[in-house]
């Protein structure tokens, strides 16, 4: 088999793995938009906040230590203990639930029945607020995140492909784990939405707020639930991206890469987020491999957005999105 074909196969597999990570971020957008009609610009910052909180808890760092030291002239930074990864993840999940309640109680609860653009602007403000709080709580240093996930080349795949093709594929163990976790997360969300009372209530709210209210469904509870689930998805995405590239403030920019994913998959479809992520991941890797050299390289920075723009011209609602027909 020609070397170029083998390289393309390896690039495709790595693109699928990268697409799963994009899809994890896009899932948070889909959940909130589907249940409340709010495009949550703060989803990327929620992933950053979750990852920084997880690292801070694991290292036993004192929250707001920089602010406390500057105000009172003290020199405290750590409690003197370290928290196991699993317990830290549970505690961080609790923090994200509290954050969801605060967002609903103090922000979104006051903007019920407002125009979508006002809600969107509120999430932009929330994004910058959370970014500032993250800096005050945990500092701005780049952190390493290690929760015990395997990293590095998968020796089994490398050996198998070498025996089969005479060329070993480099597939990162972390990408494989991320793919498995994303599949389980999507399956869990689908089961939750289809077969639980809260999931059915969430779907009812997504279909018609007023009708849901008329049958006794609490919108506040459902929206807190949705923001909590989106916070947990942000935590999972933050763990994967933070483990891969370190916990730093540029982590919040992964939300921008999720936008083309949503445009391709549809803003209201959980499976669409996964499919869109895979298309973007494979597309940008193959485009860089095939045409990157002819176009000066770095095509991964813009390919996803150009593809999304072209796709909008053909199918604005996305592959799995609901087509809205307004009758006048």
């Amino acid at each position: 088999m020609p070397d170029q074909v083998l390289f393309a196969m390896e690039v495709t597999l790595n693109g699928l793995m990268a697409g799963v990570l994009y899809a994890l971020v896009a899932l948070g957008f889909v959940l909130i938009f589907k249940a409340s009609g709010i495009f949550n610009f703060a989803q990327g910052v929620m992933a950053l906040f979750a990852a920084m909180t997880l690292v801070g808890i694991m290292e036993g760092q004192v929250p707001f230590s920089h602010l406390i030291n500057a105000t009172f002239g003290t020199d405290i930074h750590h409690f003197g203990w370290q928290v196991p990864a699993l317990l830290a993840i549970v505690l961080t999940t609790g923090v994200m639930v509290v954050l969801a309640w605060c967002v609903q109680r103090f922000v979104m609860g006051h903007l019920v029945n407002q125009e979508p653009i006002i809600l969107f602007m509120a999430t932009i403000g929330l994004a910058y607020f959370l970014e500032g709080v993250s800096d005050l709580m945990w500092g701005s240093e780049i952190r390493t995140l290690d929760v015990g996930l395997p990293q590095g080349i998968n020796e089994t795949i490398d050996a198998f492909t070498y025996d089969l093709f005479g060329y070993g594929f480099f597939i990162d163990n972390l990408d494989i784990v991320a793919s498995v976790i994303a599949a389980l997360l999507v399956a869990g969300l689908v089961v939750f939405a289809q077969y639980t009372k809260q999931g059915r209530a969430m779907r009812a709210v997504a279909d018609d707020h007023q009708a849901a209210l008329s049958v006794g469904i609490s919108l506040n509870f459902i929206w807190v639930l949705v923001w909590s689930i989106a916070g947990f998805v942000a935590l999972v995405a933050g763990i994967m991206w933070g483990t891969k590239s370190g916990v730093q403030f540029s982590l919040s920019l992964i939300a921008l890469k999720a936008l083309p994913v949503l445009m391709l998959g549809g803003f209201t479809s959980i499976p669409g987020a996964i499919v869109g992520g895979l298309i973007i991941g494979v597309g940008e890797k193959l485009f860089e491999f095939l045409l990157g050299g002819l176009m000066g390289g770095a095509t991964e920075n813009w390919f996803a957005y150009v593809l999304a723009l072209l796709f909008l011209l053909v199918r604005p609602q996305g592959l799995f999105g609901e087509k809205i027909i307004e009758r006048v």
Side-chain angles (χ1 to χ4, degrees), residues 23-25 27-28 31 178-192 229 232-237 270 274:
L24 279 175
V25 183
L27 275 176
L31 289 169
S179 301
V180 173
I181 291 176
L184 293 175
L185 193 59
V186 171
L189 289 173
V190 170
V191 170
F192 174 79
I229 297 174
F232 178 74
V233 172
L235 171 59
V236 174
I270 292 175
I274 299 297

Side-chain angles (χ1 to χ4, degrees), residues 6-325:
L6 293 174
F7 294 156
M9 291 170 61
E10 181 182 12
V11 168
T12 300
L13 286 175
N14 280 286
L16 289 171
M17 302 295 106
V20 169
L21 294 178
Y22 297 151
L24 279 175
V25 183
L27 275 176
F29 286 96
V30 170
L31 289 169
I32 292 178
F33 186 84
K34 187 175 178 62
S36 61
I38 299 173
F39 180 79
N40 180 27
F41 188 81
Q43 187 66 30
V45 183
M46 287 172 64
L48 167 68
F49 177 78
M52 294 187 72
T53 302
L54 177 60
V55 173
I57 292 175
M58 288 178 64
E59 295 180 352
Q61 182 179 348
V62 178
F64 301 104
S65 58
H66 297 286
L67 182 61
I68 294 171
N69 293 335
T71 303
F72 300 102
T74 55
D75 188 26
I76 58 173
H77 297 283
H78 293 82
F79 289 111
W81 65 67
Q82 292 187 341
V83 179
L86 185 59
L87 177 58
I89 291 173
V90 173
L91 294 174
T92 305
T93 302
V95 171
M96 299 307 291
V97 172
V98 172
L99 174 64
W101 181 85
C102 289
V103 168
Q104 176 58 28
R105 175 66 178 80
F106 299 109
V107 182
M108 296 305 169
H110 296 281
L111 298 176
V112 176
N113 295 325
Q114 295 295 324
E115 294 294 327
I117 186 62
I118 295 177
L119 299 174
F120 174 65
M121 294 301 294
T123 65
I124 293 178
L126 178 63
Y128 284 103
F129 174 78
L130 281 179
E131 193 166 333
V133 169
S134 299
D135 191 4
L136 284 175
M137 285 184 70
W138 309 114
S140 57
E141 299 85 4
I142 298 176
R143 311 289 189 84
T144 58
L145 177 58
D146 183 10
V147 295
L149 297 178
Q151 298 186 63
I153 184 172
N154 185 285
E155 299 289 349
T156 302
I157 294 178
D158 179 60
F160 175 77
T161 53
Y162 184 83
D163 292 338
L164 188 62
F165 303 116
Y167 173 79
F169 288 4
F170 183 95
I171 305 296
D172 197 315
N173 282 310
L174 180 62
D175 292 336
I176 297 174
V177 171
S179 301
V180 173
I181 291 176
L184 293 175
L185 193 59
V186 171
L189 289 173
V190 170
V191 170
F192 174 79
Q194 295 290 335
Y195 300 106
T196 67
K197 179 180 178 181
Q198 291 78 12
R200 290 192 292 270
M202 191 173 71
R203 288 191 292 129
V205 170
D207 290 337
D208 191 319
H209 292 177
Q210 296 301 321
L213 276 174
S214 67
V215 295
I217 296 175
S218 170
L219 293 185
N220 286 330
F221 170 76
I222 293 300
W223 285 334
V224 169
L225 176 64
V226 169
W227 279 84
S228 298
I229 297 174
F232 178 74
V233 172
L235 171 59
V236 174
I239 290 173
M240 297 305 166
W241 282 97
T243 302
K244 192 179 184 69
S245 57
V247 179
Q248 51 191 313
F249 275 83
S250 61
L251 187 66
S252 63
L253 299 179
I254 59 175
L256 298 180
K257 187 55 74 76
L259 297 181
V261 174
L262 294 169
M263 293 175 187
L264 265 68
F267 280 82
T268 59
S269 173
I270 292 175
I274 299 297
V275 174
L278 297 179
I279 292 174
I280 293 294
V282 173
E284 67 180 15
K285 297 291 185 183
L286 282 178
F287 190 85
E288 174 69 25
F289 172 71
L290 296 173
L291 300 174
L294 300 176
M295 307 186 71
T299 60
E300 292 184 34
N301 294 331
W302 53 262
F303 171 81
Y305 304 99
V306 174
L307 178 62
L309 176 62
L310 295 175
F311 200 84
L312 284 174
L313 300 177
V314 179
R315 190 175 174 86
Q317 72 272 23
L319 289 171
F320 297 89
E322 300 171 359
K323 189 172 183 179
I324 300 175
I325 301 176

